[in-house]
Amino acid sequence: MKDELETLIARAEEARARAYAPYSHYQVGAAVRGDNGKIYLGANIENASYGLALCAERNAVAQAILDGCKTLTGLAVVTSTSPPAAPCGMCRQTLAEFARELPIALGNDRGERADTSLAELLPRAFHGSDIPG
Ligand code: THU
């Protein structure tokens, strides 16, 4: 039987096929599991104004939050990088807003997989609770 993160990897592969990356040609797919048990997909969406690129991870988080999720329980990201690449700093901080414990699977298009967690990728994260009164 597939484990939870393997399921998310398969959905992230599906999302990656829908990436809009005509400038970098680097396609990224992401899948997050929301606290309602549903899976939300995201892919990177680039722009002719390069700095406006939306990462796959933040795209997936947005879908989950818009559907009413308050927290996330798992994430998978698939790229073409070997070994598998991890989310960028901006995405790590965005994920930290919606999860403390977050198992993360990183995969690539040749089936390699590396498991990690948000705590490992963003130790001592800044949270809303750090803002005084
Ligand atoms: N990208 C992501 O989608 N997620 C990341 O965590 C890193 C970078 C995208 C943004 C851009 O479309 C392309 O990868 C190259 O940076």
Side-chain angles (χ1 to χ4, degrees):
M1 201 179 92
K2 277 187 178 179
D3 70 282
E4 163 63 5
L5 289 176
E6 195 60 34
T7 300
L8 290 178
I9 285 275
R11 299 303 307 278
E13 280 171 355
E14 191 185 306
R16 183 170 176 265
R18 296 182 224 160
Y20 177 75
Y23 303 105
S24 72
H25 304 289
Y26 183 69
Q27 298 171 309
V28 185
V32 293
R33 176 84 70 183
D35 52 13
N36 57 4
K38 287 167 68 176
I39 294 173
Y40 300 90
L41 307 185
N44 54 330
I45 298 177
E46 299 186 343
N47 192 280
S49 180
Y50 292 178
L52 300 185
L54 172 63
C55 290
E57 298 89 328
R58 279 176 292 128
N59 190 353
V61 170
Q63 310 300 320
I65 301 308
L66 275 172
D67 200 39
C69 296
K70 301 294 181 210
T71 60
L72 307 172
T73 63
L75 165 71
V77 183
V78 174
T79 65
S80 57
T81 304
S82 180
C88 78
M90 186 183 282
C91 288
R92 294 179 198 196
Q93 183 64 30
T94 301
L95 291 162
E97 186 72 20
F98 303 108
R100 296 274 168 139
E101 300 280 315
L102 187 69
I104 299 175
L106 309 172
N108 65 22
D109 54 0
R110 59 206 94 159
E112 294 172 340
R113 176 175 151 182
D115 289 358
T116 182
S117 66
L118 187 59
E120 184 173 71
L121 295 180
L122 192 65
R124 212 183 184 294
F126 181 77
H127 291 109
S129 56
D130 290 315
I131 302 173

